[in-house]
Amino acid sequence: MTWKVEIDPRQCMASGSCAAIAPDLFVLDGEHARPLKERIDEDERALDAADVCPAVAITVRDGAEVIGPRP
């Protein structure tokens, strides 16, 4: 299975926490972070990054279901 990872550029404040947790999944690109790939293999670090994002800008989906950030 694959997950879809999105970062809302309107919310992202480029804290770098996502890139610090998973540098092979996220990168800081100017004023915002972005996922290196839109679809990834299931990876708990993507959920961790969504959980710690101070701007709550990262969304992880498994199909139509939002699985990250976790409550």
Side-chain angles (χ1 to χ4, degrees):
M1 298 285 293
T2 62
W3 291 346
K4 183 176 182 180
V5 180
E6 303 168 317
I7 296 180
D8 184 339
R10 295 169 302 197
Q11 289 181 246
C12 179
M13 54 190 265
S15 73
S17 60
C18 57
I21 287 173
D24 56 323
L25 300 178
F26 301 96
V27 65
L28 289 177
D29 191 12
E31 295 182 11
H32 304 98
R34 67 175 174 81
L36 289 172
K37 295 188 241 175
E38 183 177 301
R39 296 234 170 241
I40 62 167
D41 291 330
E42 294 180 14
D43 191 325
E44 189 74 18
R45 294 173 307 140
L47 296 175
D48 293 342
D51 291 345
V52 302
C53 176
V56 193
I58 302 170
T59 303
V60 183
R61 299 177 192 275
D62 185 357
E65 180 184 1
V66 173
I67 58 172
R70 296 171 278 204

